[in-house]
């Protein structure tokens, strides 16, 4: 008897579209996810800086007006870092031969690790220009980043992209598209509506839960209820290490990128050790775990 699976929900990636005559405007769930994450994060940081008792010396690191200016820098860091990270980490040879496509963000291709580095650099530049405490400002940004991660991963699921490996688990999802249905079996082969189809891990939702809900709830609780913001660097370190660990775990269930998969390497390992190996996502996450632990343990002690 073949295992059961869940059908993919009929959600249109486009919320609505408008024909403006000279162009077709479309609002997609993915764009809305970015907007919602940035706005919600901005408002939570504004509330936090209005509570000086949360911060070292009962003094907030910036004003609400400065938080609004920081939002512009963060947007630039996300877009530029995310795109360049994808180009450098995943397809450098292709974009070296097709440099004009680097700016074509609407065709897809963003890297969280690149976006993370972009936001870190943007935040550092903003702090230097405005003479603000670097660790405290980055603590504030790290505290709210899980909002964007949660919305973004849910949007990935709606877009039926970045799905997981084939699975026989009863919560496996039958994603649409030829690529998602390219499942050799026997793992993942299920019967639905009289046809044999491929069920996969909804790894986007695993990431939304780990990187968004669980990590975000922990950071907010520590910041607002346990005084974690009074130790500069603690929230930042927890976020970096927590995200790195969550992403490392989910990579065991997430389908590797096509450019790393071959007949000799069907699992898409970038580093292979016999029958085991590490994906690109895991390789990029390991330094985050180490860096996060360093910031979390050593930096706050040195700042005392």
């Amino acid at each position: 008897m073949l295992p059961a699976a869940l059908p993919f929900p009929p959600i249109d990636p486009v919320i609505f579209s408008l024909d403006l005559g000279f162009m077709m405007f479309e609002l997609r769930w993915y764009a809305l996810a970015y907007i919602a994450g940035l706005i919600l994060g901005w408002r939570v940081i504004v509330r936090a800086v209005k509570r000086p008792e949360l911060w070292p010396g009962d003094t907030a690191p910036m004003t609400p007006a400065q938080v609004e200016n920081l939002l512009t820098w963060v947007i630039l860091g996300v877009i530029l870092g995310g795109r360049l990270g994808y180009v450098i980490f995943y397809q450098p040879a292709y974009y070296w031969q097709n440099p004009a496509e680097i700016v074509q963000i609407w065709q897809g291709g963003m890297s969280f690790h690149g976006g993370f580095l972009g936001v870190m650099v943007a935040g550092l530049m903003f702090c230097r220009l405005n003479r603000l405490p670097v660790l405290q400002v980055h603590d504030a940004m790290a505290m709210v980043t899980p909002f964007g991660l949660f919305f973004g991963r849910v949007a990935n699921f709606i877009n039926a992209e970045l799905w997981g490996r084939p699975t026989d688990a009863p919560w496996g999802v039958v994603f649409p598209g030829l690529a998602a249905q390219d499942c050799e079996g026997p793992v993942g082969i299920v019967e639905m509506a009289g046809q044999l189809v491929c069920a996969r891990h909804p790894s986007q939702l695993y990431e939304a839960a780990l990187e968004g809900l669980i990590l975000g709830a922990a950071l907010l609780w520590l910041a607002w209820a346990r005084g974690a913001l009074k130790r500069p660097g603690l929230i930042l370190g927890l976020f970096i290490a927590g995200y790195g660990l969550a992403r490392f775990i989910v990579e065991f269930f997430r389908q590797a990128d096509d450019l790393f998969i071959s007949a000799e390497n069907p699992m898409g390992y970038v580093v292979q050790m016999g029958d085991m190996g590490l994906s690109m996502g895991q390789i990029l996450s390991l330094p985050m775990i180490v860096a996060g632990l360093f910031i979390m343990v050593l930096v706050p002690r040195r700042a005392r």
Side-chain angles (χ1 to χ4, degrees):
M1 184 175 180
L2 293 174
L6 301 174
F8 185 77
I11 304 176
D12 194 331
V14 179
I15 302 174
F16 68 85
S17 59
L18 293 175
D19 188 353
L20 303 179
F22 60 93
M23 65 171 290
M24 180 66 72
F25 172 78
E26 294 182 341
L27 178 61
R28 294 177 171 269
W29 287 105
Y30 196 72
L32 186 61
Y34 271 91
I35 295 170
L38 289 167
I39 292 177
L40 185 56
W42 164 46
R43 296 311 303 166
V44 170
I45 295 178
V46 167
R47 291 191 61 182
V49 298
K50 289 181 178 180
R51 294 273 304 274
E53 68 274 12
L54 295 175
W55 305 91
D58 294 338
T59 303
M62 51 186 165
T63 66
Q66 288 173 322
V67 176
E68 186 172 347
N69 293 333
L70 174 61
L71 179 62
T72 303
W73 287 75
V74 169
I75 293 173
L76 291 174
V78 168
I79 296 174
L80 296 178
R83 183 58 171 175
L84 291 177
Y86 180 80
V87 170
I88 295 171
F89 297 147
Y90 290 92
Q91 297 199 61
Y94 175 81
Y95 286 104
W96 179 259
Q97 296 177 355
N98 302 275
E101 295 188 21
I102 293 177
V103 299
Q104 297 177 11
I105 301 177
W106 56 90
Q107 292 187 359
M110 297 286 282
S111 163
F112 168 80
H113 295 92
F116 168 76
L117 291 175
V119 170
M120 293 287 287
V121 171
L124 181 61
M125 294 174 62
F126 179 81
C127 291
R128 295 302 185 194
L129 288 174
N130 293 276
R131 297 182 180 180
L132 301 177
V134 174
L135 284 178
Q136 293 179 47
V137 170
H138 282 77
D139 279 338
M141 292 193 294
M143 175 179 64
V144 300
T145 300
F147 293 139
L149 291 173
F150 173 77
F151 291 129
R153 295 311 183 192
V154 172
N156 289 147
F157 179 80
I158 294 174
N159 286 346
E161 61 187 5
L162 305 181
W163 19 258
R165 303 184 190 277
T167 179
D168 289 335
W171 57 84
V173 175
V174 180
F175 289 96
L178 294 177
Q181 289 303 306
D182 185 13
C183 178
E184 296 181 359
V187 176
I189 298 297
V190 301
E191 183 177 355
M192 184 171 290
Q195 295 183 335
L196 295 182
V197 292
C198 178
R200 294 180 176 274
H201 284 286
S203 55
Q204 315 97 321
L205 301 184
Y206 299 171
E207 291 185 86
L210 288 176
E211 304 165 4
L213 291 179
I214 296 176
L215 181 58
L219 294 178
L220 289 173
W221 177 72
L222 289 169
W224 291 80
R226 305 301 297 177
L229 289 173
K230 288 185 175 292
R231 292 182 57 189
L234 179 58
I235 290 293
L236 174 62
L238 282 169
F239 167 75
I240 296 174
Y243 173 85
L245 180 60
R247 178 65 181 270
F248 190 91
I249 293 172
V250 173
E251 284 288 320
F252 287 111
F253 305 96
R254 180 174 170 173
Q255 180 78 1
D257 294 275
D258 290 340
L259 65 156
F260 299 121
I261 297 176
S262 65
E264 299 77 21
N265 184 20
M267 299 297 287
Y269 294 134
V270 177
V271 175
Q272 203 160 0
M273 300 165 285
D275 294 334
M276 303 180 64
L278 296 175
S279 68
M280 176 58 79
Q282 289 174 319
I283 291 174
L284 295 175
S285 296
L286 284 174
M288 293 187 70
I289 297 174
V290 175
L293 291 174
F294 174 80
I295 295 172
M296 180 175 57
V297 175
L298 296 181
V299 173
R301 292 182 179 178
R302 294 182 179 181
R304 290 178 181 177

